[in-house]
Amino acid sequence: MLTSSQSGETEPWDSTKSADHGQLGEAPQDRAIIPYASYTYDYIYNADGGLQSGGAGMGLLDVGFEADLEKLFGWRGASFVMTAFAGHDSDFSANYAGDFGVASNIYHGNDFNLYNIYLQQSFGDGKSYFKIGQIAADDEFMGADAAGNLINSVFGPFNTQSGNMGAPIFPFAAPGAVIHYAPVDDWYVTVGIYAGLLENGDPDNRGFDWRWGGGAGQTIFAETGYVYNDAGGIFKLGGYYHTGEFEVFSTGEAVDGLGAIYGIVNHPIIDGGEEGTSVSTFLRGSLVTEEDRAVATGYIDTGVNVTNVIKPGDALAFGVSHTLFGDDYLDATPGVTDTETVIEATYQFPLNDHFKLQPNIQYILDPHESGRDTFLLGFRAILEF
């Protein structure tokens, strides 16, 4: 039976970067097959509060390729993507902070697993597409560009999703299909359906421990977005629904279905171009539709991202999130907090075209498991090819 208590098992990571990494030799647009690789290392230290003081490191190797099937075989508008993760890590949040949201968005719990493996076909003017294969839902849904540099995983998939249901988000994808339809420049709609997941926190899962139907169910996502100004400001409205079995906390019975709705605004304040200082902000919120079987019932976050602050390519980001936990879940789970708030500030700066450094600080109020406000110091290093 799929339960809704997997808060630390599927954390977000941006795996959609395959065509954007720096390449050696030919320009990426001239190549039929574009490989990429990146290695990210996080060290986080709990300076105060939480479960105990101390620090831990974790690393993630992200590798893959994108093949242009038109260049290879003359299949117009088609491409094939395959990605995988390998690395080492320590469950810092479970051992030191005691937070629900998970302090690092590269925590994965596995030494190796395959991730996205899908065929994509564009159609119309090329802005619409269809995907089929093994796909991660957070590549398409729930995201705000201005939150992309923040390190805490709460600024990726909503806690009302990652904390309640085993849908396919980092570090595990699942068989599914996605259609993204953009009939005009300023509006789109995206719909995806994916197999249910079981044991997605199992370190022996190599990316294929998924189930379809029955208690595992399927997950359906839908999102529509409207670009409301020339600078790229966008409003998104969406939702997701998992058809599998969940436990009602007050009775213990198994019932079908759990869903949520969400809204996102990503708003550019200053557009400085490629080298000038640019400022953008985001606001996201989500509410579940069946509170009696949900761990996290509400979520909201906001923040700001400033690029080209001191040197070209750097970014200063600040974010605040707040998670609300369900009354039925709290009644059945003594000793945890009824809310959790994350405050993060981080600065990423490139040393060269392939290497970036990113110190960060986080202050977590009412960590869900420990109940003691915790102050975290972190350092991230990113090597990209």
Side-chain angles (χ1 to χ4, degrees), residues 35-329:
Y36 81 94
S38 71
Y39 178 76
T40 302
Y41 180 81
D42 273 353
Y43 183 82
I44 305 178
Y45 182 80
N46 181 16
D48 185 59
L51 296 172
Q52 61 175 327
S53 297
M58 61 200 77
L60 179 72
L61 177 65
D62 177 6
V63 296
F65 69 89
E66 179 177 350
D68 186 328
L69 300 187
E70 184 172 356
K71 289 186 173 68
L72 286 173
F73 308 116
W75 185 349
R76 187 174 181 179
S79 60
F80 178 76
V81 172
M82 183 172 182
T83 63
F85 296 122
H88 56 93
D89 58 13
S90 171
D91 193 346
F92 173 85
S93 288
N95 294 328
Y96 294 97
D99 59 312
F100 184 85
V102 183
S104 171
N105 60 8
I106 69 165
Y107 172 71
H108 50 99
N110 286 62
D111 53 9
F112 174 80
N113 65 277
L114 292 170
Y115 192 51
N116 280 317
I117 310 170
Y118 63 80
L119 177 71
Q120 179 170 314
Q121 175 68 59
S122 63
F123 60 92
D125 59 0
K127 297 178 181 178
S128 301
Y129 59 83
F130 175 75
K131 288 182 180 180
I132 189 166
Q134 181 158 297
I135 310 169
D138 50 331
D139 285 356
E140 250 86 24
F141 301 98
M142 301 178 286
D145 288 347
N149 286 321
L150 293 165
I151 285 175
N152 194 293
S153 68
V154 298
F155 298 106
F158 292 108
N159 273 347
T160 54
Q161 186 274 305
S162 62
N164 289 334
M165 60 185 70
I169 59 173
F170 174 85
F172 297 107
V178 175
I179 186 166
H180 175 87
Y181 180 55
V184 293
D185 289 341
D186 58 1
W187 178 77
Y188 73 87
V189 61
T190 309
V191 178
I193 182 169
Y194 310 85
L197 287 173
L198 292 176
E199 303 300 333
N200 54 350
D202 184 349
D204 295 325
N205 184 355
R206 301 307 176 197
F208 303 106
D209 192 5
W210 45 263
R211 303 291 186 272
W212 182 278
Q218 301 89 38
T219 310
I220 302 166
F221 282 79
E223 181 180 289
T224 185
Y226 174 69
V227 179
Y228 58 81
N229 65 19
D230 293 338
I234 188 169
F235 171 73
K236 303 178 182 181
L237 182 65
Y240 36 89
Y241 187 79
H242 197 302
T243 66
E245 290 185 349
F246 294 83
E247 178 183 339
V248 175
F249 289 106
S250 60
T251 65
E253 67 176 317
V255 296
D256 291 339
L258 175 61
I261 57 174
Y262 64 84
I264 299 170
V265 177
N266 194 98
H267 181 68
I269 300 174
I270 300 173
D271 183 5
E274 292 186 3
E275 296 187 0
T277 299
S278 296
V279 182
S280 58
T281 187
F282 67 93
L283 174 65
R284 306 187 309 158
S286 176
L287 290 172
V288 302
T289 53
E290 297 83 15
E291 294 191 3
D292 60 347
R293 66 209 70 171
V295 176
T297 56
Y299 177 86
I300 189 169
D301 65 22
T302 188
V304 63
N305 187 65
V306 186
T307 59
N308 301 326
V309 183
I310 299 173
K311 58 182 297 185
D314 69 356
L316 176 66
F318 175 81
V320 181
S321 79
H322 185 72
T323 302
L324 178 67
F325 300 101
D327 290 338
D328 289 346
Y329 160 72

